[in-house]
Amino acid sequence: MASRTTSPCLIFLLALLLPLAAVAVPRRHRFPSLQLAPVNASEPPTTFFEVDRPIQPPRGSVGPCSALLLSDSFGYTYGRPPATAAYVPPECLAAARARGGSLALAVLEWSADCRGRQFDRIFGVWLSGAELLRSCTAEPRPDGILWSVSRDVTRYAALLSEPGEVAVYLGNIVDSTYTGVYHANLTLHLYFHSTTPSPPPLPHADLILPISRSLPLNDGQWFAIQNSADVQSRKLAIPSNTYRAVLEVFVSFHSSDEFWYTNPPNEYIEANNLSSVPGNGAFREVIVKVDDNVVGAVWPFTVIYTGGVNPLLWRPITGIGSFNLPTYDIDITPFLGKLMDGKEHNFGFAVTNALDMWYIDANLHLWLDHKSKKTVGSLISYDAASSANVDSQFSGLDGRFVTSASRHVSATGWVESSHGKVMTTFYQRFNYKNSNVYSKNGSEQVVNQTIDAKSGVSTTNGAVLLSEEVHQVFPLYLFSGTSDEVGDEYSLVSAIKLSINEKRGSGAEQGFSYSSLRNAQSARGSMRVKGNLVTSGSGENHQVYKYVGTDGCYSRDVSSKNYTIVFDHSDDSCLKGSQVKGSRFPSS
Ligand SMILES: *[C@@H]1O[C@H](CO)[C@@H](O)[C@H](O)[C@H]1NC(C)=O
Ligand SMILES: *[C@@H]1O[C@H](CO)[C@@H](O)[C@H](O)[C@H]1NC(C)=O
Ligand SMILES: *[C@@H]1O[C@H](CO)[C@@H](O)[C@H](O)[C@H]1NC(C)=O
Ligand SMILES: *[C@@H]1O[C@H](CO)[C@@H](O)[C@H](O)[C@H]1NC(C)=O
Ligand SMILES: *[C@@H]1O[C@H](CO)[C@@H](O)[C@H](O)[C@H]1NC(C)=O
Ligand SMILES: *[C@@H]1O[C@H](CO)[C@@H](O)[C@H](O)[C@H]1NC(C)=O
């Protein structure tokens, strides 16, 4: 793995000292928190939040039984080892097991506060090397802020029941300008089935192997990918009685690639001498390889962190996914036949067109056959193909770049275990289109992008055992206009539309499930920037979240202006006809 000799944050801070005046386009899109008002100790701290549906314990379950896993402060932590704490499974977990009860729900809760001025910082939480949460901090105010984020970690039941080590890396820098220190508590909440006999345990993995970097290290346990040729990997041997394997990938993008979807092609940068503008065009693809095979890809959702574009857009409603970054599952069961030889195999990550810096790691979820020592399998068919195309037209600082790309991966293989001889097919199909237009001598930029990702897995032993499909569409629109540039000061007007539209369907002998999510933000704001500091500004955001599924419904319609909530309506009832009955496959 590449050693990291320079730090992304330090590069960034140095860049800030350079004069801006030579560059008319495009602006950096990342800013620290504003420091407009003096500290007023009687002002209550602001609570930031990400809109999501509440995590509900299953009906009839008991709990929570809660355990504080770690409590720490993150001041000048950059380049230091992660905060760690020994993990001892909470006693209630063993007690419930002894009673024959099973885990119904596990929730990991991060709660934190901060005061002063600070950048948005990325952080990760790992248990025994497996990442459980990737998140970004909220940017503080002089009077202080609070926030919390909860993630359903029930799928890590196998890890939660073993002793281990919790690690949190939050690389922060504190100096006379950036004063915010983050104080955080990490708590685990467990719920158990109370009825006896308990319902059959959920089909969670028996073993979770981290594909990450091991402690000790002075950084996060993620791999840091610095350019398009960088491949980061780890060798792993998997148990010979594995019958199912799913890779869960964590991804976040930073520094020159924090806003990769706004990056122009290099020819435009070279022709205009814009050496400080990040390039490599606007298309990125995370590729996941096992040995020499591309087993899947991630075309990530365009998470905008809390200091992105205009920090006032994300207060107190933070950007979609910014407190709880999405993860991406790749089923590699069809490849198991190649992996169960007892030898080590190479699990690797690369990012097409990457610029410094992508943080990537994964958890390998494995299901083991308790009734045999060895399963056998074979890959039957495999296909991975991709294409990408850029149409560039520019003259001086004005131009139009249209990028399109597509990718298809599919693999079929069988595995024979005590569950029989089961054939698994996994497929992914991606389509991408990005239009990036500069006008008014490069002072205005409009990016309009859509990522369309479909994936599915089906298993059969003659009869269909399970069939699952996920269809995600990530539209993004971003307008950015610069004006009134005087020395190192300028004004910036921004508008953003950002959404996740997702449909999930699954069918098995036990029944069908279906869900549909529309989660959309529309935000606009303006600000005056001096150097890299926001000196004045305003921002507003409107978010509409609508989830309808066989497991319930949730909707929320919430709007903020500057730091104030303008309206906030939520509803968890399934209106007549809105809940989808689990009676058929979705059409998608
Ligand atoms: C366009 O911007 C460049 C770089 O800032 C500047 O040199 C040039 O004079 C501008 N042209 C016009 C027509 O404003
Ligand atoms: C401080 O905040 C309190 C409570 O909001 C307010 O009553 C008071 O006027 C503020 N003081 C100043 C100096 O702004
Ligand atoms: C962390 O927990 C301690 C002890 O319960 C509490 O005093 C503190 O306010 C908590 N901090 C945060 C940020 O939740
Ligand atoms: C870019 O820099 C080169 C060399 O310094 C110079 O000849 C050229 O005119 C510059 N082009 C622009 C568009 O400023
Ligand atoms: C963005 O592109 C899509 C199709 O590519 C188009 O339907 C939509 O109108 C565009 N949006 C904007 C704001 O230009
Ligand atoms: C937001 O705050 C700024 C100054 O802090 C003010 O100028 C602006 O009017 C406010 N905007 C709104 C929509 O309240």
Side-chain angles (χ1 to χ4, degrees):
M1 83 192 57
S3 72
R4 199 132 67 75
T5 50
T6 49
S7 77
C9 285
L10 291 181
I11 291 168
F12 179 65
L13 291 175
L14 289 177
L16 299 180
L17 303 175
L18 300 171
L20 265 175
V23 188
V25 278
R27 298 302 169 179
R28 73 173 64 80
H29 295 295
R30 180 183 186 227
F31 300 92
S33 50
L34 284 83
Q35 196 92 312
L36 301 179
V39 175
N40 178 349
S42 28
E43 198 69 44
T46 312
T47 301
F48 284 39
F49 59 92
E50 181 177 339
V51 172
D52 203 349
R53 59 187 180 280
I55 304 172
Q56 301 283 8
R59 195 167 298 184
S61 60
V62 293
C65 139
S66 301
L68 181 68
L69 301 185
L70 181 144
S71 178
D72 219 312
S73 295
F74 300 87
Y76 205 119
T77 46
Y78 193 79
R80 305 252 166 92
T84 56
Y87 173 76
V88 181
E91 272 172 28
C92 57
L93 192 58
R97 287 256 159 92
R99 287 198 312 270
S102 62
L103 184 66
L105 172 69
V107 176
L108 183 73
E109 183 191 12
W110 163 277
S111 65
D113 62 32
C114 190
R115 185 181 286 273
R117 170 156 40 201
Q118 194 47 268
F119 274 102
D120 44 356
R121 303 295 186 186
I122 197 76
F123 67 94
V125 176
W126 293 263
L127 174 58
S128 307
E131 189 160 352
L132 301 189
L133 175 68
R134 179 79 59 94
S135 184
C136 171
T137 62
E139 290 194 345
R141 307 179 72 178
D143 300 324
I145 58 150
L146 301 168
W147 85 100
S148 74
V149 51
S150 291
R151 182 161 189 250
D152 183 338
V153 293
T154 321
R155 74 186 297 195
Y156 309 98
L159 273 180
L160 295 173
S161 63
E162 299 291 332
E165 185 171 34
V166 177
V168 176
Y169 182 78
L170 188 166
N172 192 17
I173 293 174
V174 173
D175 61 19
S176 57
T177 309
Y178 304 106
T179 54
V181 172
Y182 291 103
H183 305 280
N185 293 335
L186 189 66
T187 310
L188 181 65
H189 305 284
L190 302 175
Y191 300 80
F192 301 95
H193 293 293
S194 59
T195 49
T196 35
S198 281
L202 288 166
H204 298 305
D206 300 290
L207 179 67
I208 296 162
L209 297 178
I211 304 176
S212 64
R213 298 193 296 172
S214 302
L215 296 174
L217 49 84
N218 295 329
D219 196 350
Q221 292 187 256
W222 43 49
F223 296 106
I225 291 183
Q226 294 173 296
N227 58 59
S228 57
D230 198 355
V231 181
Q232 297 287 323
S233 63
R234 178 165 188 157
K235 284 191 154 49
L236 278 185
I238 68 163
S240 55
N241 61 339
T242 304
Y243 69 90
R244 185 180 172 211
V246 173
L247 261 174
E248 176 196 23
V249 185
F250 287 74
V251 171
S252 61
F253 28 83
H254 306 283
S255 300
S256 300
D257 260 357
E258 181 172 342
F259 302 96
W260 47 270
Y261 39 86
T262 67
N263 289 12
N266 294 340
E267 47 178 336
Y268 171 84
I269 291 173
E270 282 153 22
N272 289 296
N273 291 342
L274 300 170
S275 57
S276 66
V277 171
N280 279 8
F283 173 64
R284 300 291 181 275
E285 174 187 31
V286 179
I287 290 176
V288 182
K289 288 179 94 172
V290 177
D291 299 327
D292 292 327
N293 293 316
V294 173
V295 294
V298 175
W299 290 26
F301 173 66
T302 50
V303 177
I304 298 178
Y305 309 123
T306 55
V309 184
N310 172 344
L312 279 167
L313 305 181
W314 317 116
R315 292 150 193 243
I317 308 172
T318 198
I320 295 172
S322 59
F323 284 174
N324 191 356
L325 272 78
T327 65
Y328 305 86
D329 282 357
I330 295 172
D331 196 312
I332 62 164
T333 308
F335 292 92
L336 278 178
K338 286 173 166 283
L339 303 176
M340 292 182 304
D341 53 5
K343 300 201 178 90
E344 290 196 319
H345 292 269
N346 203 46
F347 291 77
F349 309 102
V351 183
T352 306
N353 300 329
L355 290 175
D356 194 19
M357 168 77 68
W358 287 67
Y359 292 144
I360 299 181
D361 61 17
N363 300 325
L364 180 57
H365 297 250
L366 298 174
W367 283 257
L368 307 180
D369 187 1
H370 299 295
K371 291 189 188 141
S372 82
K373 285 211 165 62
K374 181 134 182 57
T375 52
V376 288
S378 176
L379 180 66
I380 306 241
S381 66
Y382 165 62
D383 177 38
S386 67
S387 71
N389 177 62
V390 188
D391 175 16
S392 287
Q393 289 163 21
F394 66 96
S395 154
L397 288 166
D398 287 348
R400 178 184 163 82
F401 310 99
V402 177
T403 312
S404 47
S406 64
R407 148 85 67 195
H408 177 83
V409 180
S410 92
T412 299
W414 57 264
V415 174
E416 187 162 7
S417 70
S418 67
H419 303 280
K421 185 169 177 178
V422 175
M423 185 90 81
T424 300
T425 296
F426 175 69
Y427 79 88
Q428 293 184 306
R429 198 155 52 232
F430 298 100
N431 279 297
Y432 163 95
K433 188 160 189 183
N434 176 296
S435 123
N436 180 6
V437 177
Y438 292 103
S439 59
K440 298 199 177 155
N441 198 27
S443 65
E444 288 188 1
Q445 183 180 17
V446 176
V447 172
N448 186 7
Q449 174 175 295
T450 306
I451 291 173
D452 186 310
K454 214 170 183 181
S455 68
V457 59
S458 65
T459 56
T460 120
N461 63 355
V464 175
L465 300 171
L466 171 76
S467 172
E468 286 178 342
E469 209 162 59
V470 183
H471 185 190
Q472 295 177 311
V473 181
F474 304 148
L476 168 77
Y477 167 85
L478 195 156
F479 168 87
S480 170
T482 311
S483 60
D484 303 329
E485 188 162 358
V486 186
D488 69 344
E489 274 190 67
Y490 61 94
S491 297
L492 190 63
V493 172
S494 328
I496 295 180
K497 287 182 181 177
L498 182 69
S499 22
I500 289 187
N501 299 321
E502 182 180 279
K503 283 186 177 159
R504 285 178 184 270
S506 83
E509 283 164 309
Q510 298 92 326
F512 300 96
S513 70
Y514 172 71
S515 69
S516 161
L517 171 68
R518 287 182 59 84
N519 186 8
Q521 286 183 320
S522 173
R524 60 177 65 241
S526 63
M527 59 184 179
R528 188 79 187 153
V529 181
K530 180 169 171 53
N532 77 316
L533 297 180
V534 179
T535 55
S536 66
S538 66
E540 55 188 88
N541 193 343
H542 179 201
Q543 183 163 4
V544 177
Y545 183 104
K546 192 159 178 46
Y547 176 87
V548 175
T550 40
D551 60 343
C553 304
Y554 181 75
S555 65
R556 188 161 177 187
D557 186 352
V558 55
S559 171
S560 65
K561 250 184 191 152
N562 288 356
Y563 285 89
T564 309
I565 295 293
V566 182
F567 60 80
D568 187 356
H569 310 294
S570 62
D571 187 357
D572 62 3
S573 67
C574 287
L575 296 174
K576 209 172 180 180
S578 68
Q579 182 173 10
V580 178
K581 294 281 179 270
S583 57
R584 61 185 174 85
F585 270 102
S587 59
S588 47

